[in-house]
Amino acid sequence: MQLTLKIRQPPVIQIALDYATSEEALAMAKIGVEAGVDWLEIGTPLIVAQGVAPIGHMVRAFPDYPVLADYKTMDSGWKNVQRTDQQGGHVMTVCAGAPDETVKSAITESKQCGVWVVADTIGVKDQASRARLCAEWGVHMIYLHYGADQRKHDATQDSTQWLAEVQRAVSIPIGVGCFDVEDGARAAAMGAELIAIGHPVISAADPLAELSRFVREVKAAWRPRSTGA
């Protein structure tokens, strides 16, 4: 890996490129970079539609930016770490709710090639306990994820609902998936080290303006996590 991924100046802003083609993702990545985002995410829909090739496309187009592959891995964790590395990517996701062996296999392979492993908590019932286990095993980050289907069912909730309890459970960086600047700023004010944003912000009529506002307001809102966490 060519890039240093340590988070020196949180919060990192990650743009989720949830498109069906590399061309769409590359075009929005350019807008995101102009707006000030820090990490580029190859979204699950893009991997489903195009396989792992978009990871390499993004790495070559933006060699100075960490590229995350959002597989939401539920099996063969080590294989997806290898695939990410082969494409030049820097970070991959495994579902925190996957079998223990899957999470551990991703971590083991990570030690061989340096690709970061992020444990995505989508669907996990006891977020703090599972995050603690994943951290003990050696994942690099916990990513709190209130999913799109959950949001459709109950728009009053977002991923920040678990942030305080997970901060008390782990000391490693915590990322938070967001839907708008309000929950992004709230996560930042609580001390989340990474804030991810995709739709609906990237599908706004003026995505550059909306992303620029998101980056500006979220970074301004950030405060270190509570010392009691």
Side-chain angles (χ1 to χ4, degrees):
M1 294 216 312
Q2 300 297 314
L3 298 177
T4 299
L5 293 176
K6 290 181 180 178
I7 300 175
R8 294 192 176 92
Q9 294 182 320
V12 165
I13 306 296
Q14 175 178 309
I15 184 171
L17 300 162
D18 291 331
Y19 293 102
T21 69
S22 287
E23 290 75 17
E24 292 171 290
L26 288 165
M28 185 54 63
K30 184 178 179 180
I31 293 172
V33 167
E34 185 176 351
V37 306
D38 303 294
W39 286 17
L40 306 174
E41 173 192 327
I42 304 300
T44 307
L46 184 52
I47 292 175
V48 169
Q50 301 289 332
V52 298
I55 302 169
H57 297 160
M58 196 65 61
V59 169
R60 290 187 291 274
F62 299 95
D64 297 327
Y65 286 79
V67 173
L68 176 146
D70 186 21
Y71 302 98
K72 295 189 179 70
T73 306
M74 284 297 289
D75 195 11
S76 300
W78 64 277
K79 284 186 179 179
N80 282 351
V81 173
Q82 284 188 347
R83 291 176 176 124
T84 305
D85 184 49
Q86 289 163 1
Q87 291 292 326
H90 310 96
V91 189
M92 62 82 69
T93 64
V94 63
C95 287
D100 296 358
E101 295 81 1
T102 298
V103 180
K104 290 178 180 179
S105 77
I107 294 165
T108 298
E109 189 64 30
S110 167
K111 293 175 182 177
Q112 301 302 312
C113 65
V115 168
W116 269 30
V117 175
V118 173
D120 183 317
T121 67
I122 191 166
V124 170
K125 298 302 181 185
D126 188 338
Q127 298 260 328
S129 293
R130 192 60 178 174
R132 183 183 295 109
L133 267 179
C134 290
E136 289 173 356
W137 293 333
V139 301
H140 298 86
M141 182 186 294
I142 302 296
Y143 179 71
L144 306 182
H145 193 167
Y146 187 68
D149 291 333
Q150 293 171 298
R151 179 76 170 187
K152 286 181 181 179
H153 178 72
D154 183 359
T156 67
Q157 295 291 339
D158 57 61
S159 301
T160 62
Q161 65 185 292
W162 304 299
L163 183 51
E165 63 179 300
V166 175
Q167 285 175 325
R168 290 190 292 270
V170 305
S171 60
I172 62 173
I174 300 172
V176 176
C178 297
F179 296 96
D180 53 39
V181 71
E182 285 75 21
D183 60 327
R186 183 163 55 252
M190 294 174 68
E193 285 82 10
L194 179 144
I195 313 291
I197 188 64
H199 297 293
V201 169
I202 63 174
S203 50
D206 187 345
L208 176 58
E210 289 301 310
L211 280 168
S212 297
R213 173 176 172 249
F214 185 90
V215 171
R216 182 174 62 254
E217 295 192 17
V218 169
K219 286 189 179 266
W222 191 81
R223 299 293 182 272
R225 67 167 78 176
S226 169
T227 55

